[in-house]
Amino acid sequence: MTLTIRHLTKEFPVPGKENITALSDINLKVGNKEFVSVLGPSGCGKTTLLRIIAGLDSTTFGTIELDGEIIDSPSPQMVMIFQEYSLYPWRTVRDNVTFGLEVEGMKKPQAREVALNYLHLVGLDEFAERYPYELSGGMRQRVAVARALAIEPQILLMDEPFGALDAQTRNKLQKELLEIWEQTRKTILFVTHSVDEAVYLSDRIVVLTPRPGRIRDIIVSPLPRPRDRTSPEFARIRRYVLDLIDESGKAKEGLRGQTSTL
């Protein structure tokens, strides 16, 4: 399944003033089973872009398409995972995962079986009967991932899902997310502020300019998996991306042959 963004522009009205342009003429194609990260300076429209793709907000101009079909409302083919976990505190871990399945009309015994399968995938089957308050932040985010996967979407939209976690937990969940991605082969569009995270996770990295957000460059990663954060090549790509984000920085000439813009 291919996600295509064509000439997407988003403006926000301001009473008595000119509209604020958050995103300007975004063109991007995300291929099936691809892992793509979007990053850029604060306020560049990363989350706005993800919300529009998810059908939670509308475009001012341009379209979002899934295999040629225009998306202008939430689609069962895509699910969004937020930084705040968004778990129901009165439901157990398993019942949080079954929620979407129940909404879709799946009978409770079958929904519970599906939920246990995905809780096993994220390493939380032993915590099925616990409540969210009994879990760490990292564990709650894994429940959110299991809940998203349980409804069998084709595309995961992830909005800084590890942003509130400490560095050690964040690194651990990045590794676990890649393991889940390799098993399920879902397409992932991942918003982050962390250059290190984007380089570690992604097939491609989309770098946005300051507001209004435009695509400044798209970096195709040459790094094999699993990736070594301490390698010189990892550091070189990280430096290149940092320079792109820093308006006063200049990209390293030696890496330009490994970049491509759609």
Side-chain angles (χ1 to χ4, degrees):
M1 179 163 284
T2 300
L3 173 68
T4 305
I5 304 165
R6 300 186 191 275
H7 303 293
L8 187 152
T9 295
K10 178 63 178 178
E11 297 178 352
F12 291 98
V14 180
K17 298 181 181 180
E18 291 186 3
N19 292 350
I20 293 176
T21 303
L23 296 164
S24 179
D25 198 30
I26 301 291
N27 291 278
L28 178 67
K29 186 174 288 187
V30 180
N32 192 39
K33 302 177 183 178
E34 194 174 15
F35 198 126
V36 176
S37 288
V38 179
L39 54 77
S42 294
C44 70
K46 300 184 295 294
T47 294
T48 298
L49 175 62
L50 213 61
R51 287 181 59 85
I52 292 171
I53 293 169
L56 302 176
D57 204 348
S58 61
T59 66
T60 304
F61 307 104
T63 59
I64 307 294
E65 300 175 12
L66 274 180
D67 284 349
E69 179 181 349
I70 292 178
I71 300 297
D72 54 12
S73 61
S75 166
Q77 301 293 340
M78 296 188 287
V79 65
M80 190 160 172
I81 299 173
F82 300 92
Q83 180 177 337
E84 299 84 5
Y85 320 126
S86 302
L87 301 180
Y88 300 114
W90 60 88
R91 296 177 71 112
T92 65
V93 165
R94 179 168 59 183
D95 288 345
N96 263 280
V97 177
T98 64
F99 179 78
L101 300 172
E102 293 168 14
V103 170
E104 292 182 344
M106 184 179 291
K107 293 183 178 180
K108 201 163 188 177
Q110 183 182 358
R112 288 192 165 194
E113 183 177 347
V114 171
L116 286 176
N117 288 337
Y118 282 102
L119 285 172
H120 178 73
L121 181 65
V122 300
L124 290 177
D125 38 344
E126 295 181 6
F127 295 85
E129 301 307 319
R130 301 286 184 90
Y131 287 86
Y133 75 87
E134 299 180 274
L135 307 181
S136 68
M139 294 167 75
R140 288 196 293 268
Q141 194 57 283
R142 283 151 68 188
V143 175
V145 170
R147 183 175 62 184
L149 291 170
I151 62 175
E152 292 291 340
Q154 295 299 309
I155 299 174
L156 294 181
L157 305 173
M158 308 186 77
D159 186 16
E160 297 193 72
F162 310 142
L165 303 174
D166 64 87
Q168 184 176 359
T169 302
R170 187 170 185 157
N171 287 350
K172 183 175 186 293
L173 288 185
Q174 289 167 6
K175 182 178 179 182
E176 291 178 357
L177 177 60
L178 286 178
E179 292 171 353
I180 291 168
W181 174 66
E182 288 169 356
Q183 290 183 60
T184 63
R185 302 308 291 172
K186 303 295 184 185
T187 302
I188 296 179
L189 190 59
F190 189 100
V191 162
T192 179
H193 272 101
S194 169
V195 174
D196 182 90
E197 186 168 67
V199 175
Y200 182 74
L201 292 173
S202 312
D203 295 321
R204 289 189 295 154
I205 303 168
V206 179
V207 180
L208 299 183
T209 66
R211 183 173 62 84
R214 300 181 177 91
I215 293 180
R216 184 167 186 179
D217 203 352
I218 301 177
I219 297 92
V220 179
S221 177
L223 298 174
R225 300 182 189 276
R227 292 177 179 167
D228 180 1
R229 298 178 197 263
T230 65
S231 72
E233 186 68 3
F234 190 101
R236 190 163 71 100
I237 297 172
R238 184 177 182 275
R239 179 73 263 166
Y240 177 83
V241 177
L242 283 169
D243 284 345
L244 285 174
I245 295 173
D246 180 1
E247 287 187 304
S248 64
K250 293 184 179 179
K252 305 298 184 184
E253 189 66 33
L255 197 63
R256 290 191 183 278
Q258 296 171 357
T259 66
S260 60
T261 303
L262 299 181

